[in-house]
Amino acid sequence: MYFHKEGRKLIFITLTLVLVIYAAMVFFVREWTFFHGLFMCILLLFWMAITLFFRIPRRIFTEDSQQLIAPADGTIVTIEEVMEKEYIKEECVMISIFMSGTDVHVNRYPCDGVVEYAKYHRGNYFIA
């Protein structure tokens, strides 16, 4: 497993911050209480959550041109036929995948191909 390059800096900064806070508590706190330990556990869990968010596990994919892989980890919430009005202009099958906070947030391409059309829709915020 490795980590996405955009997250490495944040993981390092967060770990450094947790270690600095721990060192300060060791140096300044004379008697540790339950709350000091709880605070450190919460900080450690926060760092672990950030680390897990940016993880990229190694995956093995088959070279079968007849199969598609899922473009994202998560749960399929919708499979329905919709009318695509912008480019294809015909009925298509739409598959919606919901990624929770514990899923790997890396998108893959499901098959070989060429991008023929791309358009940025400014200001449109779609439902997760």
Side-chain angles (χ1 to χ4, degrees):
M1 178 172 18
Y2 56 103
F3 301 99
H4 193 276
K5 65 180 180 176
E6 299 296 325
R8 291 179 193 148
K9 184 177 179 182
L10 182 61
I11 291 168
F12 176 74
I13 289 171
T14 308
L15 179 61
T16 303
L17 182 65
V18 168
L19 293 175
V20 166
I21 292 171
Y22 177 74
M25 287 178 64
V26 166
F27 186 74
F28 290 113
V29 175
R30 298 279 181 228
E31 190 173 319
W32 278 65
T33 65
F34 168 77
F35 296 106
H36 291 98
L38 181 64
F39 178 69
M40 286 311 303
C41 286
I42 290 170
L43 283 178
L44 187 60
L45 288 173
F46 176 69
W47 175 77
M48 287 174 62
I50 289 173
T51 303
L52 288 174
F53 184 82
F54 288 106
R55 76 192 184 280
I56 303 176
R58 298 199 189 280
R59 303 278 170 92
I60 299 171
F61 300 106
T62 60
E63 295 288 331
D64 187 354
S65 63
Q66 298 299 313
Q67 293 183 349
L68 300 176
I69 62 167
D73 290 355
T75 304
I76 295 176
V77 292
T78 304
I79 301 176
E80 62 183 325
E81 287 195 16
V82 295
M83 179 64 182
E84 197 288 319
K85 299 175 186 171
E86 190 171 312
Y87 178 69
I88 299 174
K89 298 181 177 143
E90 62 184 48
E91 290 282 322
C92 299
V93 176
M94 178 181 73
I95 302 173
S96 298
I97 301 173
F98 175 76
M99 296 190 305
S100 72
T102 59
D103 289 318
V104 175
H105 280 65
V106 172
N107 290 320
R108 299 173 289 276
Y109 50 90
C111 62
D112 290 337
V114 176
V115 176
E116 293 181 0
Y117 177 80
K119 181 178 179 184
Y120 175 67
H121 294 274
R122 183 185 168 132
N124 288 339
Y125 296 98
F126 298 105
I127 298 171

